[in-house]
Amino acid sequence: ESFGSQDVAIDGQTVAFTGTGSSFQNGLYLDDNTTKTVVVDRNTTVPGQAQTFVGTGPIAMDDGQVVFRGWTSGDTIEGIYRSSTSGLETIADVTMAVPGGVGTFTSFGSMDVDAGDIGFRAEDGNGESGVYLLHGGTLRRIAGTGDAIPGTEDVFGITISAPAVRNGQLVFTARTDDDQWNTSIFHYDINGSLSRVIGTGDVLDGQTISDVTIREGGMDEGAFAFSVSFEDGSQAIYTSTPIPLPGAAFASACLLEVPGVTRSLRIRG
């Protein structure tokens, strides 16, 4: 049999991947350089449900655990699940009430995992996007469409990215619900502090930012990497320590005072 791999994650020497084989079989698998094992496939029953999985992905991996989005036939059940030495468990699914949101979850996006912390993007009963974090066994809403942005008069818009999570900190990008649809990076720590870091209209390296992007998995050891598009058409990749900054716009010197900020790559348009 052959596999058409679709999603891949790595933890040490172990690789997790989704694949499709013969007879319409598909699933999520592990390869530790010695053996291949099944995490879930079409024969695996969804925790707490009567149906079996028919699809998985995207996936994230850390500290021996695999976190993934999975769903059943007809998408009647969809959720975020974790496989570890303790077994297979549900983190959130469409039967669960949305903390701080409306109704139950309706869909899920990408996720990131660090030790016991799991961050993911999902939509509530109104179809509005939000970022959620499982920490210490408690699932909490970090930010969502219509929520006030600290330090500003704006609210979060409809476009919110999946978060990157490390060491009790979380970063994500979101658009503000205004006429300009500005994009900014936001930082959250487990003490409940949420702040804007940098985004559209700010000046970095003498250039005005038009857009910023960060992806799940883009954070490690207290630092995160993000890409920037400037108004002159050029692009760059930076790394920065995620220290909360005031919500108001700030000069490039303010960001550059944050330890570890470096420009990794610059591309002229």
Side-chain angles (χ1 to χ4, degrees), residues 66-157:
V66 183
V67 178
F68 61 95
R69 170 179 169 263
W71 62 94
T72 64
S73 178
D75 294 332
T76 54
I77 297 294
E78 178 187 346
I80 302 293
Y81 304 90
R82 173 168 55 191
S83 175
S84 66
T85 55
S86 299
L88 183 63
E89 62 180 311
T90 301
I91 302 303
D93 67 16
V94 294
T95 70
M96 293 184 178
V98 178
V102 177
T104 59
F105 288 109
T106 57
S107 66
F108 297 87
S110 298
M111 73 297 298
D112 197 14
V113 55
D114 177 54
D117 294 339
I118 298 173
F120 60 90
R121 179 187 177 276
E123 294 185 353
D124 66 12
N126 281 343
E128 295 183 335
S129 299
V131 172
Y132 300 87
L133 175 67
L134 178 72
H135 174 76
T138 299
L139 184 63
R140 66 185 76 179
R141 176 185 170 108
I142 305 305
T145 301
D147 293 351
I149 298 175
T152 75
E153 297 180 355
D154 296 325
V155 297
F156 287 103

Side-chain angles (χ1 to χ4, degrees), residues 169-171 187-188 197 219 221-224 240-244 258-259:
Q169 301 183 81
L170 179 150
V171 289
H187 168 261
Y188 174 86
V197 178
M219 190 176 180
E221 298 300 329
F224 68 91
S240 176
T241 302
I243 297 175
V258 178

Side-chain angles (χ1 to χ4, degrees), residues 159 173-176 180-186 196 198-202 209-213:
T159 304
T173 58
R175 293 185 183 270
T176 56
Q180 298 182 47
W181 288 91
N182 297 328
T183 303
S184 296
I185 295 173
F186 294 88
R196 179 183 182 276
I198 194 169
T200 303
D202 292 328
I209 295 173
S210 61
D211 195 21
V212 291
T213 304

